[in-house]
Amino acid sequence: MSHPDHRGSLARADDIPAGWAVSSGLVDYPDAVAAMEARAAAIAEGAAGELVWLLEHPPLYTAGVSAKDADLLEPARFPVFRSGRGGQFTYHGPGQRVAYVMLDLTKRTRDVRAFVAALEGWIIEALAAFNVRGELRPGRVGVWVERKGPGWAREDKIAAIGVKLRKWVSFHGISLNVEPDLSHFSGIVPCGVTEHGVTSLVDLGLPVTMDKADAALRSAFTKVFGEVRDEPPPLP
């Protein structure tokens, strides 16, 4: 399934750049959520600017609002956090780039579908920097890659999307598998999908560092959402 072109589709009319922040260490999930929700509330009140916050978490599972308990296969393996984002169970951990996206959609578009499509377009554009063709599939959230070999073919998930809106300000966001331990995904049914696997850029044979992934994400973001400016992260 091809993806429509979303370049510039969610840029602000006033061209005010969003903040772009990167945390260097592992950030605990509850602390990150608290900081993210506080920033989103400040954005809604007009007291702070938009922010895209890139980070890594320690190994953990999160359950979105649609999560089914049966999809948590190993509940004692890693900490489990209930989340207000959309979606089902997902894994976060070292080597996976999480991007929390706090954007004011009243300044962009009050269209949830268009926003999710723009997030998908952002990931697909970033993957293209590494000659990876990210694709969408009806009924499956996230971005997928086709993999083929002699006598076999399958589709694996390389990026997840789970967002929430409050007063038309977004929070939570996306996760891109750069070089996580893929065995950690086996403790859950990722996003409720049993018949497909997960992959990463390094698993695809691409020696991509987190810095290179960040550069690709930043460049792709500007094409879809507009310019950004560097900002210190809410947490280190």
Side-chain angles (χ1 to χ4, degrees), residues 3-10 113-114 117-118 120-122 223-225:
H3 193 280
D5 191 346
H6 288 283
R7 296 188 183 192
S9 62
L10 247 74
R113 287 190 177 184
E120 294 167 340
W122 172 28
K223 293 176 182 177
V224 178
F225 293 95

Side-chain angles (χ1 to χ4, degrees), residues 133-135 140-146 155-157 193 196-197:
R133 181 180 174 84
E135 298 185 323
R140 282 192 251 147
V141 179
V143 178
W144 302 76
V145 294
E146 289 189 353
E155 295 174 353
D156 288 341
K157 189 172 191 175
V193 177
H196 301 285

Side-chain angles (χ1 to χ4, degrees), residues 2-57:
S2 62
H3 193 280
D5 191 346
H6 288 283
R7 296 188 183 192
S9 62
L10 247 74
R12 288 177 62 126
D14 56 15
D15 292 328
I16 295 176
W20 188 270
V22 183
S23 289
S24 57
L26 298 181
V27 181
D28 286 337
Y29 185 78
D31 295 340
V33 171
M36 172 178 58
E37 292 195 349
R39 180 60 175 257
I43 294 168
E45 294 167 2
E50 297 177 315
L51 179 65
V52 181
W53 181 17
L54 277 60
L55 50 77
E56 292 174 85
H57 286 305

Side-chain angles (χ1 to χ4, degrees), residues 1 21 28 38 41 48-49 93 110 120 139 142 151 154 168 181 187 218:
M1 177 180 176
D28 286 337
R110 289 195 178 199
E120 294 167 340
R154 71 172 191 261
W168 289 103
D181 185 337
R218 182 168 181 152

Side-chain angles (χ1 to χ4, degrees), residues 124-202:
I124 289 169
E125 184 83 26
L127 290 172
F130 305 107
N131 295 314
V132 173
R133 181 180 174 84
E135 298 185 323
L136 308 178
R137 291 294 181 266
R140 282 192 251 147
V141 179
V143 178
W144 302 76
V145 294
E146 289 189 353
R147 309 185 68 180
K148 297 179 181 179
W152 63 273
R154 71 172 191 261
E155 295 174 353
D156 288 341
K157 189 172 191 175
I158 195 165
I161 297 173
V163 292
K164 185 175 176 64
L165 297 177
R166 186 177 293 152
K167 297 182 179 179
W168 289 103
V169 175
S170 66
F171 53 109
H172 294 284
I174 70 162
S175 59
L176 172 64
N177 295 334
V178 180
E179 192 179 6
D181 185 337
L182 295 178
S183 71
H184 290 177
F185 285 88
S186 65
I188 56 171
V189 178
C191 301
V193 177
T194 57
E195 64 271 30
H196 301 285
V198 291
T199 190
S200 68
L201 289 168
V202 170

